[in-house]
Amino acid sequence: MNQTVVILDFGGQYNQLIARRVRECGVYCEVLPYHTPVEKISKKEPIGIIFTGGPNSVYLEDAPRCSKEVFELGIPVLGICYGIQVMAHTLGGHVTSPDSREYGKTKTKYDTACPLFDGLPAQGITWMSHTDYVDQMPEGFSATAYTDSCPTAAMQNQEKKLYGLQFHPEVLHTQNGTQMLHNFLYKICGAQGDWTMGDYAQNTIDAIRKKVGDGKVLLALSGGVDSSVAAALLAKAVGPQLTCIFVDHGFMRKNEGDEVEAAFAHKGMNFVRVNAEDRFLAKLAGISEPEKKRKLIGEEFIRVFEEEARKLDGIDFLGQGTIYPDIVESGTKTAKMVKSHHNVGGLPEDLKFQLVEPLRQLFKDEVRACGLELGLPYEMVYRQPFPGPGLGVRCLGAITRDRLEAVRESDAILREEFQIAGLDKKVWQYFTVVPDFKSVGVRDNARSFDWPVIIRAVNTVDAMTATIEPIDWPVLMKITDRILKEVKNVNRVCYDMSPKPNATIEWE
Ligand code: XMP
């Protein structure tokens, strides 16, 4: 059995990020709700417990709290942000709400004799996201980090192995934050680093088997990284009980439908391909609002599944390759919605299946690592991500066949040229979009009035933020030249310079 860390979730937006950092440090962890009974926590025999942040003020009556007994188990506890405040409040300290706000990047000084800060420089930048702070520490605690306006940016009771941080070590804005978590795990909890992505895959396979039993699973297979890794996990877990349905909604990249079929048909699972382009185009005719398009595509997707499922006998579960950023961006309890990702927001309310979402807790780069562990080919695992609604959200506004073809053809050229230039290995996501307005040009000495193509190429680690990729001029010139020559109804090529934020990666 792996050593386990329990993360108690107090509702903060970074709770899964903490889990991810713990995994990065080679330690198995589970995120549980803050009100999990102490007996359940101790049954897991954790080597450490981490309290996440949360948006509340601990002194308010209905604020989430924990039982005092958690601190009496003799297991090291690290309270982060709201977590340090819960710790202080529960153990007889005091939390205050100051007049002046300390928020964002903050200069912080550390006492490097504290094991959390062992081996770190004596000062650095930390990320603060809560205005309340501990103004009176509980008995037996001492302060181990300070900022200009917070005398208890960190506190410890070494004897009882209780530690608190007012700031967020899990976000990249905090310098050496991962090292602080590493110190907590290895220097305080005695972690041995006995957990790997292979273990994650195996645990997930076991969990799928337990959940599904001898039920039948239907999976939406798009051939993208997420659904391919989900398919591989499900196939290993429940083999012939799995039917993968590949709905070709007509918004696939050039030749992609045939490639998906070649990769997954006749591989031990049941594979069904449905060609539904006409049906999707009819459904979306005249619809230009991005969220409505997403929802319609998502709903139609599920309807096609339901129709296929009815043809199959007794399907109980619907598998999906939903990953953690999809959930955050579609709005969780605490995070605000940016855009609904179609495999989350588009689900119809009368859905008849139970969901199996084996990648729900993973970030994109972890999904790839998991795919490699499962033996999927490198090219498939490192294939660039592709949104569920596909080219449907890259053919901006109301979708028309001519513009859809222009997106598909220009995208194929872009991908071909990126591969020749070796950029497919350097750039995380690259694609074209075609807006729904025309511009004037000249072709063969005559006026043209045609669509523009916009090229987008971004780099990111987890799709939450992204930077644009400066592409060499000759590469862009060659791509432009080819698009203008080879793609019908196009007379202009532009390059999108916008990072995320303020833009998102996709245009819609
Ligand atoms: P945005 O545009 O939100 O994209 O910055 C972040 C990442 O998510 C992909 N994306 C989607 N994936 N369904 C998906 O499965 C969707 O509706 C969707 N919208 C965007 C996008 O391609 C990028 O990788």
Side-chain angles (χ1 to χ4, degrees), residues 365-386:
D365 50 327
E366 293 183 300
V367 173
R368 294 187 204 277
C370 183
L372 286 183
E373 276 301 327
L374 293 164
L376 291 179
Y378 182 91
E379 303 71 53
M380 176 176 279
V381 164
Y382 277 87
R383 185 175 204 169
Q384 54 167 323
F386 190 55

Side-chain angles (χ1 to χ4, degrees), residues 133-393:
Y133 73 89
V134 178
D135 63 343
Q136 220 178 304
M137 288 175 284
E139 217 182 293
F141 278 79
S142 57
T144 56
Y146 328 86
T147 72
D148 284 345
S149 54
C150 177
T152 46
M155 66 177 193
Q156 68 173 2
N157 180 337
Q158 270 207 34
E159 195 197 319
K160 297 211 158 127
K161 301 188 212 151
L162 305 179
Y163 297 82
L165 297 173
Q166 168 71 18
F167 54 87
H168 289 274
E170 71 277 22
V171 305
L172 292 177
H173 299 307
T174 296
Q175 291 170 344
N176 299 308
T178 302
Q179 188 57 42
M180 293 172 200
L181 288 170
H182 195 276
N183 281 348
F184 175 69
L185 297 167
Y186 284 78
K187 298 197 165 149
I188 297 168
C189 303
Q192 288 154 8
D194 64 354
W195 184 89
T196 62
M197 195 40 96
D199 294 327
Y200 182 89
Q202 193 53 52
N203 289 343
T204 309
I205 288 166
D206 294 343
I208 294 170
R209 283 197 186 123
K210 201 165 154 202
K211 177 166 185 178
V212 169
D214 52 11
K216 288 191 181 168
V217 188
L218 187 61
L219 174 74
L221 182 59
S222 71
V225 182
D226 302 345
S227 67
S228 300
V229 175
L233 278 168
L234 284 161
K236 288 217 165 163
V238 292
Q241 290 157 251
L242 172 67
T243 300
C244 283
I245 295 197
F246 165 46
V247 177
D248 191 342
H249 49 24
F251 307 133
M252 295 280 147
R253 290 171 281 209
K254 194 173 178 182
N255 299 331
E256 196 166 40
D258 297 340
E259 286 164 16
V260 173
E261 186 166 347
F264 290 101
H266 317 296
K267 294 274 154 71
M269 59 173 102
N270 310 302
F271 179 86
V272 180
R273 177 173 178 174
V274 189
N275 290 319
E277 181 177 33
D278 292 344
R279 181 173 165 166
F280 274 83
L281 281 178
K283 191 97 200 165
L284 282 144
I287 308 289
S288 58
E289 211 279 307
E291 281 304 302
K292 195 150 187 218
K293 285 168 71 177
R294 263 200 174 67
K295 280 227 146 58
L296 281 177
I297 296 174
E299 270 171 26
E300 199 60 8
F301 217 83
I302 300 287
R303 295 289 167 227
V304 176
F305 271 120
E306 285 186 331
E307 283 169 27
E308 288 306 314
R310 253 177 255 134
K311 290 183 204 160
L312 303 164
D313 231 11
I315 295 288
D316 314 283
F317 295 90
L318 180 69
Q320 287 210 75
T322 317
I323 70 170
Y324 185 64
D326 299 343
I327 297 162
V328 174
E329 300 219 330
S330 293
T332 58
K333 258 187 294 174
T334 45
K336 277 202 188 120
M337 173 167 137
V338 179
K339 65 177 79 164
S340 72
H341 281 234
H342 107 236
N343 32 9
V344 180
L347 289 176
E349 277 161 18
D350 60 345
L351 184 75
K352 306 238 169 44
F353 313 110
Q354 276 192 70
L355 290 180
V356 195
E357 298 180 304
L359 308 175
R360 215 181 148 77
Q361 310 216 312
L362 296 191
F363 290 78
K364 195 90 201 181
D365 50 327
E366 293 183 300
V367 173
R368 294 187 204 277
C370 183
L372 286 183
E373 276 301 327
L374 293 164
L376 291 179
Y378 182 91
E379 303 71 53
M380 176 176 279
V381 164
Y382 277 87
R383 185 175 204 169
Q384 54 167 323
F386 190 55
L391 302 182
V393 288

